[in-house]
Amino acid sequence: MKILITAGPTREPIDPVRYLTNRSSGKMGYALAAAAAKRGHEVLLISGPTSLDLPPGVDYLPIESAADMYQAVESQIGRQDIAIFAAAVADYTPAQVADQKIKKTGEQLTLTLEKTKDILGSTREVMNFSGTLVGFAAETENVEENARGKCQRKSCNLVIANDVSRRDIGFDSQENEVMLVYPDRTESLPKDRKDHLAYHLIEIIESL
Ligand code: CTP
């Protein structure tokens, strides 16, 4: 099958030398890409900057900002059977990007941010994607309830949820413990190394 996977953080430019980003390492998305390629799928990885090596047999489309990622997904999703959104996309971006490096003139500096486009939330109605759609939900509270809301709002077949307030799993960790939130039920998976978990997740997603 053809599988598109988004991964990593995005970088939202402030001026020519500065950006806003987040703690995503990209490990979960890269592990999913590696597992999917190992299982014989044709994988396209659309990723923000990470320090990870590209898994063998994976096509790669590098991006920086949330807007870049939106465009890349929009141009590629039409030919995919499955789309998995593991990227930690910025929800807000600077409303204006300064042409020149911002100088430290005042005691305070206020940045105005504006909402980015929700890529996962646009796949069904804006991009007309009819394949299997899998989202992620990184939560710090009410994990299952928040993930179910996302699953329904964004018309996903599955949302993979984790509790990022726990320091032993999630962002930048080798391990993860996730809850599988389907439109009509929830299942919890035991804590595992991200590479093992990724292989298991691909098997589950293939069967949806
Ligand atoms: N996502 C996306 N584009 C965005 C933001 C998020 O594709 N601009 C995807 C992520 O890759 C992930 C899921 O959406 O699969 C996470 O959604 P999230 O931003 O947590 O959901 P929201 O409904 O926007 O809720 P919240 O208020 O928690 O941000």
Side-chain angles (χ1 to χ4, degrees):
M1 281 186 271
K2 290 182 192 263
I3 307 186
L4 178 155
I5 299 175
T6 71
T10 60
R11 280 182 183 173
E12 305 306 315
I14 297 170
D15 71 12
V17 297
R18 303 182 178 98
Y19 53 78
L20 296 173
T21 190
N22 59 62
R23 288 183 188 276
S24 169
S25 64
K27 282 180 193 147
M28 196 67 232
Y30 275 61
L32 286 165
K38 235 187 231 169
R39 290 188 57 78
H41 298 293
E42 208 175 298
V43 182
L44 174 63
L45 180 64
I46 300 179
S47 176
T50 74
S51 58
L52 303 172
D53 292 330
L54 189 65
V58 167
D59 286 329
Y60 176 54
L61 234 172
I63 57 88
E64 291 229 340
S65 67
D68 294 344
M69 185 172 273
Y70 186 99
Q71 272 189 352
V73 169
E74 191 176 36
S75 72
Q76 299 296 328
I77 200 161
R79 61 192 77 154
Q80 310 296 329
D81 302 302
I82 297 175
I84 306 174
F85 288 77
V89 184
D91 287 327
Y92 291 89
T93 191
Q96 271 154 7
V97 184
D99 290 337
Q100 307 297 331
K101 185 180 168 197
I102 298 170
K103 291 302 204 182
K104 49 177 176 311
T105 45
E107 285 307 309
Q108 290 190 333
L109 172 72
T110 304
L111 283 178
T112 302
L113 306 180
E114 64 186 18
K115 244 194 186 155
T116 57
K117 288 205 250 179
D118 184 348
I119 310 169
L120 174 60
S122 304
T123 53
R124 292 292 191 211
E125 283 179 10
V126 182
M127 303 179 196
N128 295 317
F129 179 62
S130 57
T132 300
L133 187 61
V134 180
F136 271 75
E139 305 292 344
T140 56
E141 58 181 359
N142 305 327
V143 179
E144 183 177 0
E145 191 187 325
N146 285 333
R148 167 131 310 106
K150 274 169 205 182
C151 189
Q152 287 165 353
R153 273 198 310 282
K154 305 187 189 198
S155 306
C156 294
N157 298 95
L158 167 65
V159 166
I160 301 167
N162 67 343
D163 184 342
V164 288
S165 67
R166 284 177 52 183
R167 302 195 57 177
D168 57 326
I169 55 169
F171 283 128
D172 212 26
S173 157
Q174 298 290 352
E175 294 191 308
N176 205 351
E177 183 178 326
V178 300
M179 199 181 263
L180 303 182
V181 178
Y182 297 93
D184 56 346
R185 71 200 154 91
T186 299
E187 205 179 304
S188 290
L189 296 183
K191 181 160 137 180
D192 204 348
R193 276 174 38 183
K194 282 183 177 172
D195 54 345
H196 292 165
L197 186 62
Y199 201 86
H200 188 197
L201 288 171
I202 293 295
E203 287 177 316
I204 291 171
I205 293 166
E206 276 169 19
S207 71
L208 290 177

